[in-house]
Amino acid sequence: MNVRFAFRMVRREGRATGRRLGLHMLAIAVGVGALVAINSFRRDLERSVREQARTILGSDLELRHNQPFPDSVRAVLDSAAAAGVPVSYATSFGSMALAPSSGRTRLVQVRAIAGAYPYYGGLTTQPPERWLSFRDGPRALVDPAVLIQLELAVGDVVRLGDVGFTVAGAVTDYPGQVSLQSAIGPRIYIPLDQLEATNLIRRGSRAFYEANLKIDDATALRRFLYRHTKLFERHQVSWDTVDETEDELTDAFDTLARFLGLVGLAALLLGGVGVASAIHVYVKSRLETVAVLRCLGARQSTVSAIYLLQAARLGVLGAALGVIFGLVVQALLPRVLAEFLPFDVVPRFHPGAVLEGFALGALVALLFALLPLLAVRNVPPLRAIRRDTDATPRRRDPWWFAAGLALAAAVGFVSVRQAPEPAIGVGFAATIAVTTLLLTLTGLGLMSATRRFFPSRAAYVVRQGVANLFRPRNQTLAVTLALGFGVFLIATLYVVQHTLLRQFRLDARPDRPNLVLFDIQRDQLAGVRALLADRRLPVLQQTPIVPARIHALNGRTVDEILNAAGAYRYERWALRREYRHTYRDTVVASEQVVEGTWFGARPRRTEGTDSVPEISIEQEIARDLNLTLGDRITWNVQGVLLETRITSIRTVNWARFEPNFFVVFQPGALEDAPQMSIVLTRGDDVTARALFQRDLVERFPNVAAIDLTLVQRTVDTVIGRVTLAIRFMALFSIVSGVIILIGALATSRQQRLREAILLTTLGARGRQVRAILLTEYAALGALGGLTGVLLAGASGWLAARFVFDVPFRPPIAALAAFWIGSATLSTVIGALTGRELARKPPLEVLRSLSE
Amino acid sequence: MIVAEHLEQTYLSGGRPLTVLHDINLTVEPQGFVAVVGPSGSGKTTLLGLLAGLDRPTRGTVRLDGQDLAALSEDDRAAFRADRVGFVFQTFQLIPTLTALENVLVPLELKRGGAAGEDQRRAHDLLARVGLGERSHHYPTQLSGGEQQRVGVARAFANRPKILFADEPTGSLDAETGHGVIDLLVELNREARTTMILVTHDPALAARARRVVRLSAGAVIADEPSAS
């Protein structure tokens, strides 16, 4: 091999090919940019979490419980406080807030606090310095969103339960708070010693209890935990330290970043397809040159090296450009994702991420170029003097298999490396491979079909355009592959996004509830129903809720089970958690009995061995508890033990927005147990709903109301911002895809122009030539696009079924739009190509093609 | 210098064998100047391809400068050509992305691999010799047909070949330009003392050679000294 000559030829050839291949270099750059940006950002996140984990937590140790801390735990905390450890307490729960001045109500997160928490990190109030000073008496600090939504000002009163709190200011910055949180559940902070007076915490109320400790000596903290871990576990008190917070956040962001990285990888692979297409056409245009070089004495290895180096140059330049692009995007990402981050992120230069993106981009470009480059090896020198001499393809060329294998292995490797889990990476790579195969078959099928079913009776321009699809030197395969792949990737992203976002769309049909009232105590139920009747609001559903815990399974207590040898077979959380049961005789729409028989209206037996109440259990919780039909659960229903028997197992569609339960009791067992109720109602008039909620809060302050239209609006806001972040990353794939689409069609432009010039010279009118081009390009766009959207639908189904486990309904209208869009894009390029002819003399166009 | 014995070439055309050369025997002495003439389809270009080692015969042997071409691999034949053979093509076959100077340098770079000062001087001299000294940095698209062929001629002599093959060198040129190119080719050939095989369908051009081999339907029908 004459290496020096090869390099020299690369430099010389590069003068002419820069413009032609520049577009495809850009596609590589977009993909590399996406990967460099997201992988660098991932490292920025890890660093920020590491540096700021303590300020995110706000303390060194946080304890959490869904009931008031047991006396034994409280004793530990008091002892720590007595020893000089700063301890803060907080009780959080949802409640209705009423602004008497405006009459507006809103479901808020109440946080009753005591102590100097947060011990780390910034907290700012407006007016300043109010955090500790507001706690003397019934005063509150609120999220700025509360001021806006309840039309309050500092100094106004906000009612929580039986107490009116004077607004002392707004909390504008709180440790670990994601700014999006205020859209979901804005907070009101009140002094802990004022909580009891509000009368909001009743039997069965959902509240969360926190204790935050400042133990900044790591050894002392470890000692503290070591001493008390078993006590905490026994009472289901969970805890977080800075290290655990750091790990959880790192894992969460790592997973998110890797998913987004797959999108970037898709953009890069798309760029690779574009490179393959461009090199394919480039090599075809160089076959004469290759033959001449062979004639003049160049060895095959030298000639192959020239074009391999050319492809490598394309990849290296594209990757280098991509790195610059990626660093710019990395700086923008913190702003795009600011609402989802509980801390500040400072972009930094990460050599590892940059080198990895650069190497990947260059490698992908080279590997995708390898297959079309192999054609250079088969050019006979005889072609220099006899133009009709075709290349002699070698049967079972080992290089062809090696190149294909290298490409497949590289795609698989980078997919697995980038994905959150290897299985997802393998699935991603397999999808790419299947798509490529199907698109290739589609291209071949189109050529075969048009040849077989040639429209011989159609007009000349149509015949000529269709003939271009299968005659020698056609671009059908390359364009179908590139265009179809681009449409597939872009449409798949949309389908997956649409499928996920659909889960958050609430059912807005006229017969569905739009107002949910919960935490209604037994003695309040009649009053609430009367109020509803007074406001002419129907009771669509009334559901009793009875809290209970598992005492024993089949005669073995929870402690016995957890201390026995087979404890690993049980999900600990399922054994220890508090359950909320209901009782009814009907199966609701979100359930389906899959085993056993529903007790229905069957009366409860009161004698004999089967006299225990029957229950129906949800399928997955039954699996977590290793239970089956006939098994018995003994419940602790607020101090009273009640044995039950499983007579049916259900599946539950948790995505449906209505009360769903792990366990449903047969009627007749829980009616006398302490309980509260949920009532679902519907009011179409916004004012009537608002007035009802105001009256409800005034008469029953502990009863919370969720206005589902407000929830939907909030969900839309949150989803809108999530969508923006996803679409920002998806933009890379879209840009790459559009470049490839344009490039794939443009690479065939030269050849089409030459032919069109010949036709013009022979007497064809401009209109006829344009029609020929339009026919061909429209056919390519339509078929490539159709294959792409069909594959996108299939991969969307796969993702919904096996990755996200959500129902799938294809967005037909959007997919049709993608199809029409790709066909239109292809046709427009055909039209622009034809227009170029009409404006210039043939020789002028020929000269411009030669340059 | 060139010995071809019992050459036969058969191709598959439409699934059927088509024999384009029948039992060709040809010997060319060193510094010989042979014109191969015949009507279109007589097998002239096929014969040229076999003699130059660009293709393998179905039967027979070709020896160039004592080397049996069949004994060489494809790459070895390429190396052989780089060392000893020059070409002038009907369609000029200049590499479009290279300047005139760079096109002339290609055989030198392939042979030696280096852009030695000596090679650069030789290339410049050759271009000047063919009257294109001032156009060395122009690309083929910036040259007329005749100018491109003169660059082709310069390139053919760059590596001081022992054998020169010219395939219809004036086929794409008008008569006057073609005569000018042929004059140049013959003059350079005389100076370099190269063995030249010229394929043409032009009798007047063939008369410039010292010997004329006539082909018809793939067979030699005459092999005689040139009338001139």
Side-chain angles (χ1 to χ4, degrees):
Chain A
M1 188 191 331
N2 193 327
V3 175
R4 234 173 179 175
F5 177 71
F7 272 102
R8 220 173 270 145
M9 284 299 290
V10 169
R11 183 174 48 80
R12 291 163 180 169
E13 285 265 314
R15 293 183 304 224
T17 55
R19 213 175 42 185
R20 190 186 293 185
L21 298 178
L23 196 63
H24 303 278
M25 189 174 74
L26 204 59
I28 291 290
V30 168
V32 169
L35 282 177
V36 167
I38 200 63
N39 287 332
S40 295
F41 183 65
R42 179 157 56 92
R43 286 167 170 78
D44 286 338
L45 284 176
E46 285 168 7
R47 191 191 181 113
S48 297
V49 166
R50 226 174 15 251
E51 290 173 353
Q52 300 175 53
R54 183 169 262 183
T55 60
I56 295 167
L57 192 60
S59 64
D60 296 295
L61 175 65
E62 180 186 85
L63 304 178
R64 289 187 308 279
H65 196 37
N66 58 4
Q67 287 185 359
F69 288 114
D71 293 341
S72 52
V73 174
R74 194 66 199 231
V76 166
L77 294 171
D78 291 342
S79 167
V85 172
V87 181
S88 298
Y89 295 93
T91 303
S92 303
F93 56 96
S95 178
M96 295 301 286
L98 166 68
S101 55
S102 63
R104 297 181 82 91
T105 62
R106 177 63 162 99
L107 183 65
V108 298
Q109 279 293 307
V110 177
R111 199 167 161 80
I113 54 178
Y117 178 87
Y119 304 112
Y120 309 104
L123 182 147
T124 51
T125 61
Q126 191 58 41
E129 313 289 338
R130 290 291 169 100
W131 180 246
L132 293 174
S133 64
F134 85 101
R135 303 182 197 191
D136 50 348
R139 304 209 294 165
L141 291 176
V142 301
D143 269 353
V146 171
L147 294 178
I148 296 166
Q149 289 166 16
L150 295 182
E151 294 177 9
L152 289 169
V154 174
D156 286 346
V157 170
V158 59
R159 271 270 302 277
L160 294 169
D162 295 340
V163 179
F165 292 86
T166 304
V167 177
V171 178
T172 53
D173 194 12
Y174 192 86
Q177 178 155 332
V178 176
S179 65
L180 203 55
Q181 201 165 343
S182 61
I184 303 167
R187 285 181 174 176
I188 294 182
Y189 303 86
I190 62 172
L192 188 57
D193 55 19
Q194 298 290 326
L195 178 58
E196 196 178 337
T198 63
N199 243 341
L200 288 172
I201 304 294
R202 309 243 183 141
R203 187 195 296 275
S205 297
R206 285 194 88 96
F208 296 94
Y209 300 82
E210 270 175 42
N212 280 281
L213 287 76
K214 183 172 186 285
I215 308 174
D216 50 16
D217 179 71
T219 310
L221 177 61
R222 274 198 297 276
R223 210 166 29 232
F224 181 89
L225 280 172
Y226 179 75
R227 225 181 290 146
H228 303 299
T229 298
K230 281 199 164 26
L231 172 71
F232 295 154
E233 284 179 359
R234 195 159 56 244
H235 293 288
Q236 294 108 54
V237 173
S238 53
W239 71 89
D240 261 336
T241 59
V242 172
D243 285 345
E244 282 169 10
T245 301
E246 188 181 316
D247 287 344
E248 284 164 12
L249 280 174
T250 303
D251 284 346
F253 285 123
D254 189 63
T255 301
L256 169 68
R258 286 185 181 277
F259 263 118
L260 292 177
L262 277 180
V263 175
L265 184 61
L268 181 63
L269 293 178
L270 203 51
V273 170
V275 165
S277 168
I279 295 293
H280 172 72
V281 174
Y282 173 65
V283 163
K284 274 193 171 176
S285 72
R286 287 292 181 268
L287 293 180
E288 292 285 319
T289 300
V290 169
V292 169
L293 287 172
R294 295 284 280 140
C295 231
L296 297 178
R299 289 178 181 267
Q300 183 198 291
S301 54
T302 304
V303 173
S304 298
I306 293 169
Y307 296 98
L308 199 65
L309 286 170
Q310 194 71 270
R313 183 170 164 270
L314 173 74
V316 165
L317 286 176
L321 190 64
V323 163
I324 297 169
F325 178 53
L327 292 174
V328 169
V329 172
Q330 179 200 357
L332 291 174
L333 276 174
R335 273 184 233 179
V336 172
L337 299 173
E339 286 183 316
F340 306 97
L341 301 174
F343 45 78
D344 297 326
V345 177
V346 176
R348 286 191 174 88
F349 181 76
H350 299 279
V354 166
L355 278 172
E356 191 180 329
F358 178 85
L360 207 58
L363 183 69
V364 163
L366 192 62
L367 287 175
F368 271 89
L370 261 184
L371 281 168
L373 277 177
L374 289 176
V376 165
R377 302 170 61 244
N378 299 326
V379 178
L382 189 64
R383 193 189 166 104
I385 60 173
R386 184 191 286 281
R387 274 218 173 146
D388 57 353
T389 305
D390 282 333
T392 45
R394 304 177 194 192
R395 285 178 179 257
R396 295 184 188 169
D397 185 352
W399 280 102
W400 202 93
F401 287 109
L405 204 61
L407 180 61
V411 171
F413 174 73
V414 297
S415 300
V416 169
R417 189 176 155 76
Q418 184 65 47
E421 293 169 21
I424 293 177
V426 168
F428 180 84
T431 306
I432 299 289
V434 168
T435 304
T436 306
L437 180 66
L438 288 173
L439 284 169
T440 304
L441 290 174
T442 301
L444 293 171
L446 175 63
M447 285 193 279
S448 173
T450 46
R451 193 180 286 122
R452 185 177 293 194
F453 303 107
F454 190 74
S456 48
R457 292 198 188 148
Y460 165 72
V461 292
V462 172
R463 281 186 280 126
Q464 185 70 7
V466 170
N468 282 346
L469 294 172
F470 61 80
R471 61 180 181 78
R473 300 193 185 186
N474 68 78
Q475 298 302 314
T476 302
L477 203 54
V479 173
T480 307
L481 195 60
L483 194 144
F485 210 94
V487 171
F488 161 70
L489 277 173
I490 296 167
T492 298
L493 275 171
Y494 180 84
V495 168
V496 169
Q497 178 191 306
H498 169 85
T499 301
L500 289 176
L501 298 185
R502 245 187 100 246
Q503 303 312 307
F504 299 100
R505 181 127 304 264
L506 300 172
D507 199 334
R509 285 176 297 175
D511 60 335
R512 304 294 298 154
N514 61 6
L515 197 57
V516 179
L517 314 178
F518 58 93
D519 274 351
I520 305 172
Q521 301 298 309
R522 180 173 248 168
D523 56 352
Q524 296 173 322
L525 192 55
V528 169
R529 289 184 70 112
L531 185 61
L532 282 165
D534 191 49
R535 289 287 176 190
R536 290 195 175 80
L537 297 174
V539 174
L540 296 178
Q541 191 175 338
Q542 180 184 313
T543 306
I545 310 278
V546 180
R549 289 184 183 273
I550 296 177
H551 173 74
L553 299 179
N554 292 319
R556 294 170 71 205
T557 64
V558 169
D559 283 338
E560 283 170 1
I561 291 170
L562 289 175
N563 290 327
Y568 68 90
R569 294 192 295 121
Y570 295 83
E571 288 290 344
R572 197 181 196 88
W573 67 270
L575 284 169
R576 291 282 193 204
R577 63 164 289 156
E578 182 183 69
Y579 287 83
R580 288 172 180 253
H581 301 321
T582 192
Y583 50 89
R584 49 177 151 81
D585 57 9
T586 51
V587 178
V588 297
S590 58
E591 301 172 330
Q592 190 181 349
V593 175
V594 294
E595 282 182 59
T597 52
W598 180 255
F599 35 74
R602 183 165 68 230
R604 188 192 141 189
R605 292 187 193 185
T606 51
E607 291 176 3
T609 54
D610 287 342
S611 62
V612 297
E614 296 177 47
I615 60 172
S616 175
I617 192 168
E618 189 265 342
Q619 187 178 54
E620 299 214 358
I621 204 79
R623 197 175 299 145
D624 292 337
L625 293 170
N626 287 296
L627 295 173
T628 186
L629 288 178
D631 283 346
R632 293 176 182 236
I633 306 177
T634 304
W635 300 97
N636 181 337
V637 184
Q638 306 187 46
V640 175
L641 295 182
L642 177 65
E643 190 183 25
T644 60
R645 183 168 58 92
I646 300 172
T647 54
S648 65
I649 296 177
R650 294 162 296 128
T651 57
V652 174
N653 181 0
W654 298 99
R656 278 182 71 110
F657 196 86
E658 48 196 279
N660 289 311
F661 298 89
F662 283 122
V663 177
V664 177
F665 274 63
Q666 180 185 29
L670 292 179
E671 277 74 348
D672 294 333
Q675 59 192 255
M676 56 175 169
S677 293
I678 292 176
V679 168
L680 306 182
T681 182
R682 181 177 182 86
D684 290 315
D685 182 65
V686 173
T687 309
R689 277 204 315 275
L691 288 172
F692 168 76
Q693 288 178 74
R694 186 201 62 194
D695 294 344
L696 182 74
V697 167
E698 281 178 349
R699 285 182 56 184
F700 308 100
N702 61 294
V703 175
I706 300 178
D707 188 333
L708 295 183
T709 52
L710 178 64
V711 169
Q712 184 65 70
R713 216 179 304 140
T714 305
V715 166
D716 286 345
T717 303
V718 173
I719 295 305
R721 292 175 193 171
V722 170
T723 305
L724 183 67
I726 294 174
R727 281 185 183 157
F728 182 80
M729 288 309 300
L731 198 60
F732 290 101
S733 277
I734 291 168
V735 168
S736 196
V738 169
I739 291 172
I740 299 308
L741 293 179
I742 293 172
L745 294 164
T747 47
S748 67
R749 178 181 152 275
Q750 281 219 342
Q751 185 179 333
R752 292 292 171 263
L753 270 180
R754 284 185 206 277
E755 291 155 8
I757 288 164
L758 180 60
L759 289 172
T760 307
T761 309
L762 291 174
R765 290 193 291 276
R767 188 165 43 87
Q768 288 174 303
V769 172
R770 279 195 296 278
I772 293 169
L773 288 169
L774 280 174
T775 305
E776 183 189 356
Y777 279 71
L780 284 171
L783 196 76
L786 179 63
T787 310
V789 298
L790 288 175
L791 288 171
S795 62
W797 173 80
L798 282 170
R801 173 88 171 75
F802 295 106
V803 178
F804 302 110
D805 194 20
V806 295
F808 176 73
R809 193 183 294 173
I812 304 289
L815 288 175
F818 276 117
W819 179 32
I820 293 168
S822 66
T824 305
L825 176 67
S826 176
T827 309
V828 163
I829 289 180
L832 289 174
T833 304
R835 214 164 62 117
E836 189 173 345
L837 275 177
R839 283 186 284 149
K840 297 180 187 173
L843 274 179
E844 190 178 325
V845 179
L846 263 177
R847 267 198 296 275
S848 72
L849 289 177
S850 304
E851 286 162 7
Chain B
M1 182 58 67
I2 304 174
V3 178
E5 293 176 325
H6 305 296
L7 273 187
E8 188 171 305
Q9 187 69 313
T10 303
Y11 296 117
L12 270 180
S13 177
R16 290 183 183 175
L18 176 67
T19 302
V20 295
L21 287 180
H22 303 272
D23 196 30
I24 303 286
N25 292 282
L26 180 68
T27 302
V28 180
E29 298 301 322
Q31 298 177 40
F33 183 359
V34 177
V36 178
V37 301
S40 181
S42 59
K44 308 187 295 296
T45 303
T46 306
L47 178 61
L48 184 81
L50 292 177
L51 294 178
L54 302 181
D55 199 2
R56 288 180 191 269
T58 313
R59 275 221 316 244
T61 57
V62 175
R63 301 181 80 84
L64 275 189
D65 197 18
Q67 173 67 52
D68 179 3
L69 294 184
L72 298 177
S73 67
E74 197 68 56
D75 267 350
D76 288 340
R77 275 186 281 163
F80 185 87
R81 287 194 294 273
D83 198 41
R84 280 170 247 210
V85 178
F87 283 93
V88 179
F89 300 95
Q90 178 180 357
T91 53
F92 326 136
Q93 294 290 34
L94 297 183
I95 297 172
T97 51
L98 272 58
T99 62
L101 181 70
E102 288 165 347
N103 266 287
V104 175
L105 276 170
V106 167
L108 293 164
E109 289 168 346
L110 282 171
K111 190 171 175 179
R112 266 197 285 280
E118 182 191 331
D119 290 341
Q120 288 275 332
R121 275 192 299 275
R122 176 156 177 81
H124 273 293
D125 289 345
L126 278 168
L127 275 176
R129 184 74 177 78
V130 301
L132 292 173
E134 301 297 313
R135 310 287 297 276
S136 60
H137 294 296
H138 285 198
Y139 289 92
T141 51
Q142 296 169 303
L143 304 172
S144 69
E147 288 167 342
Q148 288 187 54
Q149 192 60 298
R150 280 191 272 159
V151 174
V153 169
R155 181 178 65 185
F157 284 98
N159 60 341
R160 295 190 171 87
K162 286 190 172 179
I163 309 162
L164 191 90
F165 292 98
D167 177 31
E168 307 263 15
T170 59
S172 301
L173 304 171
D174 60 84
E176 189 180 334
T177 312
H179 283 310
V181 167
I182 286 298
D183 287 342
L184 192 59
L185 186 61
V186 170
E187 194 179 323
L188 284 171
N189 187 52
R190 193 170 48 238
E191 288 171 12
R193 297 171 190 263
T194 316
T195 304
M196 185 152 80
I197 309 294
L198 170 70
V199 167
T200 182
H201 62 269
D202 183 352
L205 188 57
R208 305 282 298 264
R210 287 197 287 277
R211 177 176 153 206
V212 177
V213 173
R214 281 184 208 285
L215 287 184
S216 177
V220 174
I221 57 170
D223 183 353
E224 58 203 7
S226 163
S228 63

